[in-house]
Amino acid sequence: MATHVLPTQNAPGPQPPGKVGAGLLDPKQLVRSLPDAFRKLNPATLWRNPVMFIVEIGAVFTTVLAIMDPSFFAWAIVVWLWLTALFANLAEAVAEGRGKAQAATLRAAKRDTNARRLKDWTAGRRELAWDTVGATDLKQGDHVVVEAGEIIPGDGDVVDGIASVDESAITGESAPVIRESGGDRSAVTGGTKVLSDRIIVKITQKPGESFIDRMIALVEGASRQKTPNEIALNILLAALTIIFLIATVTMQPLAIYSKAQNPGVPDSLALTADGVTGIVLVSLLVCLIPTTIGALLSAIGIAGMDRLVQRNVLAMSGRAVEAAGDVSTLLLDKTGTITLGNRQASEFHPVEGVSADDLAAAAQLSSLADETPEGRSIVVYAKQAYGLRERQPGELAHATWVPFTAQTRMSGVDVDGRQIRKGAAAAVMKWIRDAGGHPSDEVGHIVDGISAAGGTPLVVGEISEGQAHVLGVVHLKDVVKQGMRERFDEMRRMGIKTVMITGDNPLTARAIAEEAGVDDFLAEATPEDKLALIKKEQEGGRLVAMTGDGTNDAPALAQADVGVAMNTGTSAAKEAGNMVDLDSNPTKLIEIVEIGKQLLITRGALTTFSIANDIAKYFAIIPAMFAAVYPGLDTLNIMRLSSPQSAILSAVIFNALVIIALIPLALRGVRYRPESAEKLLSRNLYMYGLGGIIAPFVGIKVIDLLIQFLPGM
């Protein structure tokens, strides 16, 4: 261990690389995932999927029968039954493979890192004693010092200093971010890089439970647990499988009885004096049970979380993704979410006796040295609306610039014998009165009118030649982001209620809410108010989603059904939420809801398709089995398949191929449209219900035409 005096400033490090976007499904991924698909054929793994477990048992059974009584038809059925089980595993393997590719990128950020762990650190100390330890040896509560060019060794909060941090390894975003002690932007993530200055970080993670560790486990699917809806659907599929299994088993005594009643009918490949052959019976069972959705169900869930990861959102569980799809109330912060957050000058209101040009010139002059977004907007607006040339502070070398302070609540300039100030209405008018001026009632009316419209008034005053008077008022408008009203209209069509949360007074909040088009608002909101609002909505049976980044947001994030914490926020906020937005973009909440709904729609659509296409397979196999005994059943052979053997094999082949054909749709998701539940259900039944009936008729007939000339067909 050594004692060092650390410098307070360092040169910036190299800039981070550009963001690498997430690609679409790579067709080569199917080939790369084949080894994993074969490994998943292990019964110890496959039994968790009851539908496909039955398929594998059937494949084993038919393999034994084909060995005992070999024929081309028997071995063809065996091959396609095994391919059915393999394709089902391939769907899940491809989904997991995409996650593993993302995990490899994340592991690049989790390298062997040493940490400089401090001893007896207290705020304000400049001489810091530290010893070097491995990052994996850090414990909760340890303090480490990180300088420019070094990797932050673990998750924690900045407790001293301010630095520029490269988070591209986590977020993919090349632009560095500022992290500083205090406030809501103190959290840092292990594996990110400090670019400038130095910070002291208090470690908040446990060994092996870092943010990156959790991300890797989630995107690889290692810690993925089935959601309640997924469990319920699995139970339904298992119940359908049992029903069809019983129905198929009852075919055997029925076939024996039918054959006994019609002894003159010659034996066929499907029906003998001993009943239905075992291979045909298994083929019927596999074709009737919902193998399509059974094969794709797990892949749909994994892909839903993958789509969130592609948008830089980390879901702590699949339950959170599902809940996002069922959300019926959105709580959105005004600043930065609904509005741009930076108020901008939108109008100059001169008082009587003052021209608009004179007010614009004074407002611009007083704002030349004001580097705030509001001050810059006044300069730009004066230039654009009144044609005033944008000057620089350096051009007025003889001017005295008056900076804004929390005490005066004003800023301005003293130049050419004039004192010009702009700022809060009460502060500027007091300044005028103290100088002997008498602001008119007109100023108060203008200020009240701007506040009632949801804006922020800045009064501009001047003292010249011993005379103090108000020139007018600048209207600063909290600009609503473009397209927000349309987005909220979409939410409304989906049956989702939007609530704007703001610390503004009710008048300002109402004006912004009406302009943005939200359904309701909560003004002068406190953490207790947010929590109470969430509980009230949930008591009405609604699922609530909200975003937050501060420690004071943690109770509400924990209470919400979908709590999205900003990555720039505090550790308390990220621990309380069940999702973390790595981009720290509050509007991402709307996308998260859409992704959740797309997950539910995709699952529902493919379930509808899977159950519907059993109808066509019924029409293919049942006539093939019993038409010889009951000639009247031949009328059900509406596809006019060439032979019983061809009909059965065609149905089995189609049953396998449809799984592989639907893998891209399961991973990409059914296209989402902001519509009511009734319209979504109607479209789902029309496209995937009717489509699920028609597609197998076409597919089975085409396959029959292709295989009818094979041996034994």
Side-chain angles (χ1 to χ4, degrees):
M1 184 179 75
T3 301
H4 298 264
V5 178
L6 298 178
T8 58
Q9 187 70 26
N10 290 282
Q15 292 301 308
K19 180 175 181 177
V20 179
L24 297 176
L25 174 64
D26 182 3
K28 296 180 181 178
Q29 185 67 43
L30 290 172
V31 178
R32 290 196 296 267
S33 300
L34 275 174
D36 285 337
F38 277 104
R39 280 191 288 270
K40 288 178 179 292
L41 289 173
N42 184 349
T45 302
L46 200 61
W47 73 268
R48 295 182 180 87
N49 187 336
V51 176
M52 301 318 301
F53 187 57
I54 291 294
V55 173
E56 185 172 49
I57 292 176
V60 172
F61 180 64
T62 53
T63 302
V64 173
L65 293 179
I67 293 173
M68 295 173 58
D69 186 14
S71 67
F72 177 85
F73 173 77
W75 281 111
I77 293 292
V78 167
V79 168
W80 282 102
L81 289 181
W82 280 112
L83 285 177
T84 301
L86 182 66
F87 290 163
N89 293 335
L90 186 61
E92 185 174 357
V94 169
E96 290 179 352
R98 297 173 71 186
K100 289 176 181 178
Q102 293 166 341
T105 303
L106 293 172
R107 281 198 178 93
K110 185 178 173 60
R111 62 194 72 182
D112 293 333
T113 305
N114 289 328
R116 291 188 287 174
R117 182 173 59 188
L118 302 177
K119 283 197 171 184
D120 302 324
W121 178 83
T122 56
R125 288 184 57 185
R126 306 312 301 169
E127 292 191 4
L128 305 174
W130 51 269
D131 58 349
T132 302
V133 298
T136 55
D137 296 326
L138 293 174
K139 300 177 181 178
Q140 279 183 316
D142 286 345
H143 290 80
V144 296
V145 61
V146 191
E147 294 185 285
E150 295 180 348
I151 301 297
I152 296 174
D155 299 349
D157 291 324
V158 178
V159 293
D160 185 74
I162 180 173
S164 176
V165 178
D166 169 16
E167 296 186 339
S168 59
I170 303 298
T171 67
E173 179 57 55
S174 60
V177 296
I178 300 298
R179 293 290 178 264
E180 58 185 324
S181 59
D184 293 337
R185 294 183 178 270
S186 60
V188 291
T189 305
T192 57
K193 185 177 183 180
V194 174
L195 298 180
S196 68
D197 302 279
R198 64 100 170 163
I199 52 177
I200 294 175
V201 178
K202 180 181 180 180
I203 300 299
T204 58
Q205 72 180 48
K206 294 180 181 179
E209 296 182 7
S210 70
F211 196 62
I212 293 182
D213 288 326
R214 285 184 292 165
M215 288 180 67
I216 291 172
L218 285 165
V219 298
E220 283 186 327
S223 63
R224 179 181 178 271
Q225 296 180 348
K226 291 182 178 180
T227 64
N229 285 348
E230 200 171 343
I231 293 173
L233 186 54
N234 263 316
I235 293 174
L236 173 63
L237 297 181
L240 290 174
T241 300
I242 293 173
I243 291 171
F244 283 121
L245 179 61
I246 295 173
T248 303
V249 169
T250 58
M251 291 276 183
Q252 188 70 332
L254 176 63
I256 295 173
Y257 174 79
S258 300
K259 185 68 175 176
Q261 294 297 312
N262 299 273
V265 178
D267 292 347
S268 68
L269 194 59
L271 192 63
T272 68
D274 296 326
V276 181
T277 61
I279 289 179
V280 172
L281 209 59
V282 172
S283 300
L284 174 64
L285 174 63
V286 170
C287 287
L288 292 186
I289 63 178
T291 51
T292 305
I293 186 60
L296 300 174
L297 184 59
S298 181
I300 293 170
I302 295 173
M305 297 187 71
D306 175 63
R307 282 193 289 275
L308 280 178
V309 173
Q310 289 181 27
R311 289 164 175 80
N312 279 345
V313 177
L314 174 63
M316 300 305 178
S317 68
R319 182 191 296 264
V321 186
E322 261 190 12
D326 286 329
V327 158
S328 49
T329 301
L330 285 183
L331 305 187
L332 302 164
D333 279 332
K334 183 201 75 173
T335 304
T337 304
I338 296 174
T339 65
L340 293 174
N342 298 329
R343 295 168 297 176
Q344 299 181 359
S346 62
E347 194 172 358
F348 292 143
H349 297 272
V351 299
E352 186 177 355
V354 178
S355 69
D357 289 337
D358 289 341
L359 172 60
Q364 186 192 59
L365 191 62
S366 66
S367 303
L368 290 177
D370 187 350
E371 294 300 328
T372 64
E374 293 84 357
R376 302 312 304 159
S377 74
I378 292 174
V379 175
V380 172
Y381 180 73
K383 175 185 176 182
Q384 294 176 343
Y386 293 90
L388 297 178
R389 182 176 66 87
E390 182 178 349
R391 294 176 290 180
Q392 299 299 322
E395 298 179 32
L396 303 171
H398 57 289
T400 301
W401 304 101
V402 180
F404 175 86
T405 66
Q407 290 73 30
T408 64
R409 295 191 296 162
M410 297 185 301
S411 63
V413 62
D414 296 341
V415 61
D416 298 332
R418 303 170 65 194
Q419 297 178 19
I420 304 173
R421 300 290 186 271
K422 78 170 192 306
V428 174
M429 287 196 285
K430 181 180 183 298
W431 179 71
I432 292 292
R433 292 190 187 98
D434 291 345
H438 301 283
S440 65
D441 293 339
E442 181 186 3
V443 179
H445 294 318
I446 296 174
V447 169
D448 291 342
I450 292 173
S451 297
T456 301
L458 288 183
V459 174
V460 180
E462 178 185 19
I463 300 177
S464 178
E465 299 178 356
Q467 298 294 320
H469 57 280
V470 173
L471 299 176
V473 185
V474 179
H475 183 173
L476 292 180
K477 185 178 181 182
D478 208 352
V479 180
V480 174
K481 290 181 179 179
Q482 187 175 4
M484 290 307 296
R485 176 173 282 275
E486 289 74 15
R487 296 292 293 273
F488 292 140
D489 288 341
E490 290 180 3
M491 296 289 109
R492 199 170 294 109
R493 288 196 295 270
M494 293 156 50
I496 296 176
K497 176 184 177 182
T498 52
V499 181
M500 182 186 78
I501 297 179
T502 177
D504 290 339
N505 63 71
L507 278 177
T508 301
R510 183 179 299 278
I512 296 295
E514 290 177 353
E515 182 179 356
V518 295
D519 298 312
D520 200 356
F521 67 90
L522 178 65
E524 299 176 343
T526 64
E528 293 77 13
D529 293 335
K530 295 179 184 179
L531 187 60
L533 177 61
I534 293 174
K535 289 182 177 179
K536 180 181 177 182
E537 291 290 326
Q538 290 173 333
E539 287 173 359
R542 292 174 172 266
L543 268 63
V544 181
M546 73 161 289
T547 60
D549 58 3
T551 301
N552 61 354
D553 289 325
L557 287 172
Q559 180 66 34
D561 300 283
V562 179
V564 183
M566 301 295 101
N567 191 42
T568 56
T570 61
S571 297
K574 289 194 281 189
E575 289 295 331
N578 50 22
M579 291 190 187
V580 177
D581 177 17
L582 303 179
D583 293 330
S584 299
N585 177 10
T587 59
K588 192 79 68 71
L589 180 58
I590 298 175
E591 292 183 46
I592 291 171
V593 170
E594 292 175 349
I595 292 171
K597 286 191 174 295
Q598 185 185 36
L599 169 65
L600 298 180
I601 291 170
T602 301
R603 186 184 295 159
L606 293 184
T607 300
T608 303
F609 181 90
S610 177
I611 295 175
N613 68 23
D614 286 341
I615 297 175
K617 288 178 278 188
Y618 171 88
F619 277 95
I621 296 181
I622 296 300
M625 291 172 57
F626 291 99
V629 176
Y630 301 108
L633 285 177
D634 192 55
T635 56
L636 296 179
N637 185 16
I638 57 178
M639 289 181 278
R640 294 297 149 194
L641 302 177
S642 57
S643 68
Q645 297 93 321
S646 175
I648 295 168
L649 182 58
S650 296
V652 172
I653 293 175
F654 175 84
N655 193 60
L657 292 181
V658 75
I659 295 174
I660 205 77
L662 290 176
I663 289 178
L665 180 61
L667 299 182
R668 185 180 67 250
V670 174
R671 183 183 175 187
Y672 167 74
R673 293 184 178 90
E675 298 174 337
S676 65
E678 292 79 7
K679 289 185 178 180
L680 287 174
L681 178 60
S682 298
R683 186 165 59 88
N684 183 41
L685 291 175
Y686 179 73
M687 291 185 61
Y688 297 96
L690 185 59
I693 294 174
I694 296 175
F697 279 96
V698 176
I700 291 173
K701 180 60 179 178
V702 170
I703 295 172
D704 174 73
L705 294 174
L706 294 175
I707 69 172
Q708 61 179 322
F709 301 108
L710 293 176
M713 294 295 111

